[in-house]
Amino acid sequence: MATIYEVSALAGVSLSSVSRVLNDHEHVSEKTKQKVMAAMNELGYRPNSVARSLASNRSNSIGVLVSELHGPFYGEMLSSIEMELRKAGKHAVVTAGHSVEQSEKDGINFLIDRNCDAIIILIDSLSDEFLIELSKGSTPVVILNRLIPEIKDKCFYIDNELGGYLATKYIIEQGHKDLAYISGPLFKQDANERLNGHKRALNEANLKFDEELFYQGDFLTTSGRVGIDHLLKTNKPFTAAVCANDEMASGAMKGLRDHKMLIPQDCSVIGFDNVYFANYLHPELTTMNYPINEMAKMSAQWILKNVYKHTEVFVNNKFTPELIVRESITKNKT
Amino acid sequence: MATIYEVSALAGVSLSSVSRVLNDHEHVSEKTKQKVMAAMNELGYRPNSVARSLASNRSNSIGVLVSELHGPFYGEMLSSIEMELRKAGKHAVVTAGHSVEQSEKDGINFLIDRNCDAIIILIDSLSDEFLIELSKGSTPVVILNRLIPEIKDKCFYIDNELGGYLATKYIIEQGHKDLAYISGPLFKQDANERLNGHKRALNEANLKFDEELFYQGDFLTTSGRVGIDHLLKTNKPFTAAVCANDEMASGAMKGLRDHKMLIPQDCSVIGFDNVYFANYLHPELTTMNYPINEMAKMSAQWILKNVYKHTEVFVNNKFTPELIVRESITKNKT
DNA sequence: GACAAAACTGGAAGCGCTTCCATTTTGTCC
DNA sequence: GGACAAAATGGAAGCGCTTCCAGTTTTGTC
């Protein structure tokens, strides 16, 4: 592999000059630029990115830490991030924390040790305090799907409360009065806020939140199914099940079918996130859109702007969920 | 950030000795090892991975090139690869080729320029010839989901023909005689082989393959739906739809419902791949399991063994698909 | 206790590039 | 044509580590 040294020899200029054309510096004459380019071509020169990193103290790699690499959510996210980064010649180093605190910390250290220029984080197990502390370190950090007030310009999040509110408001508008709610684990910010929005909509319609028609799930499919079992056992009637995410909604649909109930005739269902399989379900799931792609893209742009000083881009931190009406909700006629 | 130099000063030993304990070399006395470790601790020393890479000509990063980062398949794959790699202190650099030839080539160059120690490839657009040529280069390459005879020890693949055969055999055993087939794009090896397996099973049962009940899709959901429309228009009766992957099967299920047909009563459906949402569908999809997790893990192990000379692990290149019986197929009583 | 072999340690040269500083060249204006 | 600033170039010192080589110490053996 040819090095910059050979290029400089062949082109008859100094190392510095070669380096300058490599980095598109100003103050290089057109003439030497041409000579250098020609030499590079002739030698099939390819810059050694490791050497550049060492000398410049820039690795051009961005670490991405997520809970899991699989699942409908993270794939979309990664996809957007990678696309944005690659356009700028940067690359993504990925790692998973598996929702285990120590493992997530390890993941962060791993990425820092890898000399990532910045880190994008989308996880649940680490505390706000830890992340605040982390963000004081020398490696810039941005946080997805979470609002930490102390570092809010580095957070990209949706208004979960609003989403919860809109979902429930819509259901109420369809004539439903008896709503069951299957939440995510309430120690998670998003689960909590979505529930709050739900309660606000209820309140606004003078409906009261019924503890008996509430089940705390874990955001996974099975807990939707189990939740429905649990709710049905109370013998309290309900005509709609509000689920805090699509996975649980899909489980809830299964649960309802186990009990020979028709969706949406016997019970309407709404989800949250609008993951891509939401419209593979039957009936297609009405849900709240979570603009994960834009958010991920935005986080990448934040890094391009703040870490690599790319030309000004507009950065938006707060995103708005939107209702996606499909087939899983029907008007209530009772 | 402390450097190896400061460690050596504090420990009162030479640079080389520090480096040696860092790399777990033999021929370091317990005493100096302790001194060095203590110094490292005291200084909070963290090795600079970039400098190590430059000096050792090893980046400890493995490039992963896939068609898309999202979708049910790639997430699982990445997840397994990352887990295996991280255990060994290596990391994954990911990039997507979006099934566009030039873009996939760019992706490869991108990863090579990043000094990846090896590359894992899972794409369709690049020709066998290109990949054979690539594998002669200095960056080791492994290929997932594809068998290229010339470099077969670097390929990890399943027996698609067998999978196609087993799927159809099972359906025939359930009493079905009139089978429709929705294939993937036939320029893709896997699509082609699955179809061949289908034909073999047909043949074995003395059923003939009916061109009219064949539709070539593109492995995406919509083409399953469109495929059913097309097949139904022929007015040729069929009692089961064999789909070359789960996404198309899910589309096919939608298509059948559009025509008010019940699954599996009016038409059975079988998929292929066993992606995780296959059992979110209703009815739950009977399909062929594609052991993507093991295959991905195995490819990572191959690299650990062949590139990093880790202790011997058994590497298996060819994997076997297995039938997963769920609810989308019923016995045919006609 | 002598001697060879093995184990251990330090010095120093690089890995391929960036970047600061000093020097040389070019251009502009009177 | 000369003075001066600005632009272009080259030299050289690192970036933080690995690794080869040679020298020194320890160990084991008879």
Side-chain angles (χ1 to χ4, degrees):
Chain A
M1 202 77 256
T3 72
I4 201 179
Y5 189 84
E6 296 163 48
V7 174
S8 95
L10 181 59
V13 300
S14 73
L15 279 191
S16 344
S17 291
V18 177
S19 174
R20 272 187 286 258
V21 345
L22 206 52
N23 293 287
D24 238 356
H25 271 235
E26 41 185 6
H27 303 320
V28 209
S29 72
E30 193 55 32
K31 213 174 65 192
T32 57
K33 198 173 196 164
Q34 294 307 334
K35 280 193 291 185
V36 170
M37 304 267 247
M40 284 180 172
N41 261 324
E42 191 175 334
L43 294 169
Y45 170 76
R46 295 224 193 159
N48 178 321
S49 65
V50 174
R52 298 180 84 171
S53 295
L54 182 60
S56 66
N57 201 25
R58 268 283 132 87
S59 69
N60 288 310
S61 63
I62 285 85
V64 179
L65 172 64
V66 297
S67 302
E68 300 296 343
L69 253 7
H70 57 255
F73 208 75
Y74 302 112
E76 300 282 338
M77 172 194 149
L78 251 188
S79 183
S80 300
I81 291 176
E82 192 271 340
M83 229 185 276
E84 200 62 24
L85 253 30
R86 178 121 88 97
K87 272 195 279 180
K90 318 294 178 195
H91 66 280
V93 174
V94 304
T95 190
H98 307 291
S99 298
V100 174
E101 187 177 344
Q102 191 51 51
S103 174
E104 295 189 342
K105 285 186 182 169
D106 289 349
I108 289 177
N109 283 328
F110 186 79
L111 294 173
I112 292 178
D113 284 347
R114 237 68 215 182
N115 290 68
C116 290
D117 295 335
I119 302 183
I120 297 176
I121 293 180
L122 171 40
I123 44 166
D124 304 301
S125 298
L126 263 23
S127 69
D128 282 9
E129 290 68 40
F130 180 87
L131 292 174
I132 292 171
E133 207 50 46
L134 178 66
S135 77
K136 290 179 188 157
S138 57
T139 305
V141 166
V142 315
I143 293 159
L144 271 178
N145 190 37
R146 183 149 156 187
L147 168 58
I148 301 176
E150 291 85 344
I151 48 173
K152 67 166 185 282
D153 58 310
K154 293 167 187 168
C155 295
F156 296 87
Y157 53 95
I158 65 162
D159 191 336
N160 280 298
E161 199 274 346
L162 178 64
Y165 170 78
L166 291 173
T168 298
K169 179 159 175 259
Y170 172 73
I171 292 213
I172 293 173
E173 284 168 1
Q174 301 307 302
H176 295 273
K177 292 194 167 58
D178 302 303
L179 311 183
Y181 192 90
I182 300 179
S183 78
L186 292 179
F187 74 89
K188 293 191 182 178
Q189 199 182 51
D190 48 358
N192 216 332
E193 292 174 352
R194 290 175 189 185
L195 176 58
N196 287 339
H198 171 70
K199 287 179 176 170
R200 175 155 71 93
L202 244 31
N203 214 23
E204 205 175 275
N206 287 317
L207 297 172
K208 77 176 234 304
F209 176 74
D210 188 341
E211 284 291 351
E212 284 193 78
L213 287 180
F214 169 80
Y215 179 81
Q216 183 175 163
D218 61 4
F219 275 150
L220 300 179
T221 319
T222 44
S223 76
R225 199 168 195 169
V226 174
I228 286 292
D229 276 352
H230 173 88
L231 293 166
L232 252 21
K233 272 208 198 91
T234 65
N235 279 324
K236 281 228 168 188
F238 56 91
T239 60
V242 182
C243 303
N245 79 350
D246 291 348
E247 309 234 353
M248 293 195 301
S250 110
M253 286 166 74
K254 269 193 200 305
L256 290 166
R257 282 207 192 89
D258 288 346
H259 292 272
K260 306 282 180 246
M261 294 174 73
L262 262 49
I263 307 162
Q265 295 86 335
D266 297 335
C267 182
S268 292
V269 174
I270 191 167
F272 202 120
D273 284 348
N274 192 28
V275 299
Y276 75 94
F277 70 72
N279 56 66
Y280 293 10
L281 298 175
H282 175 70
E284 295 180 7
L285 185 65
T286 292
T287 187
M288 299 301 303
N289 186 52
Y290 189 119
I292 184 65
N293 289 301
E294 286 111 275
M295 287 170 65
K297 184 174 168 183
M298 197 59 85
S299 68
Q301 289 184 340
W302 186 96
I303 290 174
L304 259 20
K305 174 181 166 188
N306 290 282
V307 178
Y308 298 111
K309 309 300 174 195
H310 278 201
T311 49
E312 203 72 13
V313 288
F314 168 74
V315 172
N316 176 36
N317 291 78
K318 187 173 185 173
F319 291 74
T320 305
E322 272 172 19
L323 181 71
I324 307 286
V325 175
R326 286 197 272 251
E327 309 169 345
S328 64
I329 296 187
T330 188
K331 282 202 194 308
N332 182 31
K333 285 133 187 169
T334 62
Chain B
M1 205 75 257
T3 72
I4 200 179
Y5 188 83
E6 298 163 46
V7 174
S8 94
L10 181 60
V13 301
S14 73
L15 280 190
S16 343
S17 290
V18 178
S19 173
R20 272 187 285 258
V21 346
L22 206 53
N23 293 288
D24 239 357
H25 271 234
E26 42 186 5
H27 302 323
V28 209
S29 72
E30 193 56 32
K31 213 173 65 191
T32 55
K33 199 172 195 166
Q34 294 307 333
K35 281 194 291 185
V36 170
M37 303 268 246
M40 284 179 173
N41 262 325
E42 191 174 334
L43 293 169
Y45 169 77
R46 296 226 192 158
N48 179 319
S49 65
V50 174
R52 299 180 84 173
S53 296
L54 182 60
S56 65
N57 200 25
R58 267 283 133 89
S59 68
N60 287 310
S61 62
I62 285 85
V64 179
L65 172 64
V66 297
S67 301
E68 301 295 343
L69 253 6
H70 56 255
F73 208 75
Y74 301 113
E76 300 282 337
M77 171 194 150
L78 251 187
S79 184
S80 300
I81 291 177
E82 192 270 339
M83 228 185 276
E84 201 61 24
L85 253 29
R86 178 122 88 94
K87 272 195 278 178
K90 317 294 177 196
H91 66 281
V93 174
V94 304
T95 191
H98 308 289
S99 297
V100 174
E101 185 177 346
Q102 190 52 51
S103 174
E104 296 188 341
K105 285 186 182 170
D106 288 349
I108 289 177
N109 282 328
F110 186 79
L111 294 173
I112 292 179
D113 283 347
R114 237 66 214 185
N115 291 69
C116 290
D117 294 335
I119 301 183
I120 298 176
I121 292 180
L122 172 39
I123 45 168
D124 303 302
S125 298
L126 263 24
S127 69
D128 282 10
E129 290 68 39
F130 181 87
L131 292 174
I132 292 171
E133 208 48 48
L134 178 67
S135 77
K136 291 180 188 157
S138 57
T139 305
V141 167
V142 315
I143 293 159
L144 271 179
N145 190 37
R146 185 151 156 184
L147 168 59
I148 301 176
E150 290 85 345
I151 47 173
K152 65 167 186 283
D153 57 311
K154 294 166 185 169
C155 295
F156 296 87
Y157 53 95
I158 65 163
D159 191 336
N160 280 299
E161 199 273 348
L162 178 63
Y165 170 78
L166 291 174
T168 297
K169 179 161 177 255
Y170 173 72
I171 293 212
I172 293 173
E173 283 167 3
Q174 301 307 302
H176 295 272
K177 295 194 165 56
D178 303 303
L179 311 184
Y181 193 90
I182 301 180
S183 79
L186 291 180
F187 74 89
K188 295 191 183 180
Q189 197 182 54
D190 47 0
N192 215 331
E193 292 174 351
R194 289 175 189 186
L195 176 59
N196 287 339
H198 170 70
K199 288 179 176 169
R200 174 156 69 96
L202 244 31
N203 214 25
E204 204 175 277
N206 286 317
L207 297 171
K208 78 176 233 304
F209 176 74
D210 187 342
E211 284 289 351
E212 286 194 76
L213 287 180
F214 169 80
Y215 178 82
Q216 182 175 164
D218 61 4
F219 275 149
L220 300 178
T221 320
T222 43
S223 76
R225 199 169 194 166
V226 173
I228 287 292
D229 276 351
H230 172 87
L231 294 166
L232 252 20
K233 271 207 198 92
T234 64
N235 280 324
K236 281 228 168 191
F238 57 91
T239 61
V242 181
C243 303
N245 79 349
D246 291 349
E247 309 235 353
M248 294 195 301
S250 110
M253 285 166 74
K254 269 194 199 306
L256 290 167
R257 282 207 192 88
D258 289 345
H259 292 272
K260 306 281 179 246
M261 294 176 74
L262 262 50
I263 308 162
Q265 295 85 337
D266 297 335
C267 183
S268 291
V269 175
I270 191 166
F272 202 119
D273 282 351
N274 192 28
V275 300
Y276 75 95
F277 70 73
N279 56 66
Y280 293 10
L281 298 175
H282 175 72
E284 295 180 7
L285 185 65
T286 291
T287 187
M288 298 302 301
N289 186 53
Y290 189 119
I292 184 64
N293 289 301
E294 287 112 274
M295 286 170 64
K297 184 173 168 185
M298 198 58 85
S299 69
Q301 289 184 341
W302 186 96
I303 290 175
L304 260 20
K305 174 181 167 189
N306 291 282
V307 178
Y308 299 111
K309 310 298 174 196
H310 278 202
T311 49
E312 203 74 12
V313 289
F314 168 74
V315 172
N316 175 36
N317 290 78
K318 187 173 186 174
F319 291 75
T320 305
E322 272 173 19
L323 182 71
I324 307 285
V325 175
R326 285 198 273 250
E327 309 168 345
S328 64
I329 296 186
T330 189
K331 283 203 194 308
N332 183 34
K333 286 133 188 167
T334 61

